[in-house]
């Protein structure tokens, strides 16, 4: 197996295209050697007064033709090699994105969005620059330096060549001295860019909160601090680059000084002709460009190594949620029977378990409701069901199969989940509802929107289902976002439906309409509902109450009320809150407690009021009238 090295592996995999580009560049470099030769002959003929007008025109045309050939092959080779670099950029960015998709949710919990964006844009861009300009300059230097030095030795004077080349090894010493500094400073620059990107992303995402709390100045101060830090690190990096470039140019100038002094003496002594001296300095001019470029290449390579190390750290991060070796490939459809056996689960960074000894059975086609305080483990349980995190083996079974034996594609394709925080993409409503690998017809999208009770809102928009949403669906209200998320889950027609407190942003009447619309859908599949409002969970076949990660109570609505435990206490508190909203002026007179008792009794006994109010709301809606807000099954009084 090849060691993971982005540059080397890519060049080995594309060695034939690189060899072809190298050949084109070599032709360009070798053609350049003709120019010093023609210049030397031209100078000698001119000095000896042997140059005719026709010869002058001929040499001029020859030099022009060579220049044209050099430009042609150089531009073609640059285009060819630079295209290979762009392909590498595309592949690395695609590989990075694909690898991120494989990583579990836990990885992203520990990452800043700005860092991830910096990896995908800045680091990959540096990789492209190294492979593009860096490889080109290395190839050019390799060919041109070798060919030029050989020509200088064979056609002019070996000793002049030797003395002129003596200062050039200093470039290698300088590169070695600046190596670590430039690499370290390049990594610091990349980190500063990532921090600055995170700051901007956080500012844009939280702009409403910032304005609501009048924190513009504070945010400006934080941004200024990060911005100044990025500038300072870039300045240090620029100073190192400039110093290295200046010293490299000094070494090159020293070589020219040796050439002029020692070469001039050889001309005066008659060891070499004036034409040879001119040719030698022309050769040296050709040589100095690639040698100076080597300094730039050193800097680019160090930046590239720093970026490559950052990218390789991501590529070497193994996903902890993957298809198990024991996964049964033949499983393509789930029936939805769920069994949980003594499930205890720890988050990696937590000391205490999030879930403790959870055991329950959810038969196919039935519904389970989960209630409990914040942090009791409700969302953790459903996250384990879709393997956003790995549950211990043998603790969760679906259709009799350990969840680890079910391919992830099948498992997640057969589960429709409406998250607690509804996330919508910055595309159209149609694309958000139809967000599924399988294609959906217009009728499917409309039906899902109607079931989620968001259709009437959508058709009021000028573009209807083609309405473009802002980032995270910000152009919709909280309730509309939740209902679009519900439609997105329903359209999948999954075997298991999970609603993670997904009705919290809608009023009670809309909640009733949604639940009524979902009734036919829920009858055909296993449903899990997490909710804080009793109204959204009371009709479930079984209800569990989680307390500190354990099942404190279980049963149905009536049996849990009869036990007079946590569920009944939650139910009473919600009834009292509603009475407090309805009777704000009676709380001090003593009527509050009496009204609360009556309200509670009515809520327990009058089970038909909920359906009656729901039918009234539907009738008013169909007649074009706005539905009354009803406290259904809580006394039936209209507000």
């Amino acid at each position: 197996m090849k060691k993971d090295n982005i540059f080397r592996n890519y060049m080995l995999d594309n060695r034939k295209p690189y060899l072809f580009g190298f050949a084109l560049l070599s032709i360009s470099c070798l053609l350049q050697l003709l120019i010093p030769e023609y210049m030397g002959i031209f100078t000698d003929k001119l000095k000896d007064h042997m140059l005719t007008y026709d010869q002058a025109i001929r040499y001029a045309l020859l030099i022009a033709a060579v220049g044209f050939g050099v430009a042609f092959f150089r531009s073609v080779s640059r285009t060819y090699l630079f295209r290979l670099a762009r392909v590498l950029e595309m592949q690395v960015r695609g590989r990075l994105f694909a690898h991120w998709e494989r990583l579990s949710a836990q990885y992203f919990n520990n990452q800043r969005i700005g860092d991830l964006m910096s990896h995908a844009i800045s680091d990959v861009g540096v990789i492209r620059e190294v492979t593009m300009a860096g490889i080109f300059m290395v190839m050019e230097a390799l060919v041109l330096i070798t060919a030029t030095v050989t020509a200088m030795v064979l056609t002019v004077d070996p000793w002049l060549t030797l003395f002129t080349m003596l200062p050039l090894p200093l470039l290698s010493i300088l590169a070695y001295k600046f190596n670590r500094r430039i690499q370290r400073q390049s990594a610091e620059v990349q980190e500063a860019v990532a921090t600055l990107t995170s700051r901007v992303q956080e500012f844009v995402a939280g702009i409403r909160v910032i304005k609501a709390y009048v924190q513009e100045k504070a945010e400006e101060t934080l941004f200024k601090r990060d911005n100044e830090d990025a500038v300072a690190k870039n300045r240090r990096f620029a100073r190192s680059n400039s110093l290295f470039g200046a010293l490299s140019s000094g070494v090159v100038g020293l070589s020219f000084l040796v050439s002029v002094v020692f070469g001039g003496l050889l001309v005066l002594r008659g060891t070499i002709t004036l034409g040879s001296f001119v040719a030698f300095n022309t050769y040296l001019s050709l040589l100095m460009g690639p040698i100076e470029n080597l300094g730039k290449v050193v800097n680019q390579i160090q930046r590239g190594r720093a970026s490559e190390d950052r990218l390789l750290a991501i590529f070497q991060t193994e996903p902890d949620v993957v298809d198990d070796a024991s996964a049964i490939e033949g499983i393509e459809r789930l029936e939805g029977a769920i069994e949980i056996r003594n499930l205890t689960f720890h988050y990696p960074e937590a000391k205490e378990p999030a879930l403790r000894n959870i055991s329950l059975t959810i038969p196919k086609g039935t519904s389970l409701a989960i209630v409990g305080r914040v942090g009791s483990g409700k969302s953790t349980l459903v996250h384990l069901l879709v393997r956003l995190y790995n549950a211990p083996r043998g603790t969760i079974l679906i259709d009799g199969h350990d969840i680890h034996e079910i391919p992830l594609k099948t498992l997640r394709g057969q589960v429709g989940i409406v998250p607690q925080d509804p996330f919508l993409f910055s595309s159209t409503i149609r694309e958000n509802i139809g967000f599924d690998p399988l294609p959906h017809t217009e009728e499917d999208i409309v039906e899902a929107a109607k079931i989620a009770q968001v259709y009437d809102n959508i058709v009021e928009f000028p573009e209807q289902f083609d309405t473009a949403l802002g980032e995270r669906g910000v152009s919709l209200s909280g309730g509309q976002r939740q209902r679009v998320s519900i439609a997105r889950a329903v359209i999948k027609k999954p075997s298991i439906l999970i609603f993670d407190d997904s009705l919290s942003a809608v009023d009670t009447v809309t909640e009733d309409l949604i639940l009524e619309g979902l009734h036919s859908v829920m009858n055909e599949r296993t449903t899990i509902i997490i909710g804080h409002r009793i109204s959204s969970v009371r009709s479930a076949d079984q209800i569990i109450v989680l307390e500190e990660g354990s099942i404190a109570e279980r049963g149905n609505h009536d049996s849990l009320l009869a036990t007079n435990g946590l569920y009944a206490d939650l139910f009473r508190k919600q009834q009292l809150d509603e009475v407090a909203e309805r009777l704000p002026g009676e709380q001090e007179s003593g009527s509050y407690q009496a009204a609360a008792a009556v309200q509670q009794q009515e809520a327990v006994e009058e089970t038909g009021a909920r359906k009656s109010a729901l039918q009234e709301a539907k009738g008013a809606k169909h007649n074009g009238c706005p539905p009354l807000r009803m406290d259904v099954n809580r006394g039936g009084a209209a507000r």
Side-chain angles (χ1 to χ4, degrees), residues 4-10 88 92 127 308 311-312 315:
D4 200 356
N5 183 296
I6 296 174
F7 298 110
R8 182 173 63 247
N9 292 347
Y10 182 73
L88 173 62
V92 172
I127 295 290
E308 184 185 42
L311 291 172
L312 289 178
F315 293 143

Side-chain angles (χ1 to χ4, degrees), residues 158-203:
W159 289 106
L160 177 60
T161 303
L162 175 63
F163 291 141
T164 304
M165 295 295 108
L166 283 178
L168 296 183
L170 292 174
L171 288 175
S172 299
I173 298 174
L174 288 174
Y176 176 78
K177 292 291 186 182
F178 278 81
N179 185 353
R180 291 183 179 275
R181 182 197 299 185
I182 291 175
Q183 186 175 359
R184 184 187 70 253
Q185 291 176 347
S186 175
E188 290 174 351
V189 167
Q190 297 297 89
E191 290 293 339
V193 170
T195 300
L196 196 60
T197 306
S198 293
R199 178 67 60 194
V200 174
Q201 185 277 331
E202 191 175 63
F203 166 77

Side-chain angles (χ1 to χ4, degrees), residues 358-373:
I358 304 294
S359 295
L360 58 92
T361 300
I362 313 170
K364 167 191 171 183
T366 64
S367 57
L368 168 73
I370 308 174
V371 297
R373 296 187 177 94

Side-chain angles (χ1 to χ4, degrees), residues 77-297:
S77 62
R78 279 173 65 93
T79 302
Y80 191 79
L81 293 172
F82 285 12
R83 184 183 65 82
L84 289 172
R86 290 292 184 180
V87 172
L88 173 62
E89 178 187 27
M90 179 187 69
Q91 291 181 357
V92 172
R93 190 170 284 133
R95 178 186 173 189
L96 179 63
F97 191 85
H99 187 73
W100 276 337
E101 288 188 314
R102 293 176 58 235
L103 296 177
S104 65
Q106 182 62 35
Y107 171 83
F108 296 96
N109 291 342
N110 301 322
Q111 300 294 322
R112 297 181 303 175
I113 294 178
D115 289 339
L116 302 180
M117 292 173 63
S118 176
H119 292 315
I121 298 173
S122 181
D123 285 331
V124 176
V126 171
I127 295 290
R128 182 204 67 234
E129 291 174 6
V130 173
T131 315
M132 191 162 62
I135 295 298
F136 181 84
M137 287 190 290
V138 167
M139 287 182 173
E140 184 182 47
L142 179 65
V143 176
L144 200 54
I145 291 175
T146 302
T148 302
V149 171
T150 302
M152 291 165 71
V153 171
L154 296 179
T155 62
V156 183
D157 187 88
W159 289 106
L160 177 60
T161 303
L162 175 63
F163 291 141
T164 304
M165 295 295 108
L166 283 178
L168 296 183
L170 292 174
L171 288 175
S172 299
I173 298 174
L174 288 174
Y176 176 78
K177 292 291 186 182
F178 278 81
N179 185 353
R180 291 183 179 275
R181 182 197 299 185
I182 291 175
Q183 186 175 359
R184 184 187 70 253
Q185 291 176 347
S186 175
E188 290 174 351
V189 167
Q190 297 297 89
E191 290 293 339
V193 170
T195 300
L196 196 60
T197 306
S198 293
R199 178 67 60 194
V200 174
Q201 185 277 331
E202 191 175 63
F203 166 77
V204 174
I207 185 63
R208 289 165 183 79
V209 176
I210 291 169
K211 287 184 174 295
Y213 284 84
V214 198
Q215 288 294 304
E216 290 91 344
K217 285 293 183 183
E219 286 297 314
E220 185 178 345
T221 301
L222 291 173
F223 179 81
K224 183 179 179 181
R225 181 197 65 190
D226 293 339
N227 198 18
E228 289 175 347
D229 180 63
V231 169
K233 289 177 178 177
N234 271 285
R235 282 176 175 168
R236 286 196 293 271
F237 180 67
R239 279 197 296 268
S240 295
N241 271 335
S242 299
L243 180 59
F244 183 79
L247 292 175
S248 299
S249 298
V251 172
V252 171
L254 187 59
S255 291
F256 268 108
L257 178 63
V258 172
S259 170
V260 170
V261 173
F262 190 61
L265 290 175
L266 292 179
V267 172
L268 293 176
R269 291 178 181 177
T271 307
I272 61 174
T273 66
L274 180 62
S276 297
F277 179 73
V278 170
F280 184 87
N281 281 279
T282 308
Y283 281 129
L284 191 60
S285 298
L286 295 178
L287 193 62
M288 291 303 106
I291 290 176
E292 286 185 332
N293 286 339
L294 285 178
K296 299 176 184 178
V297 170

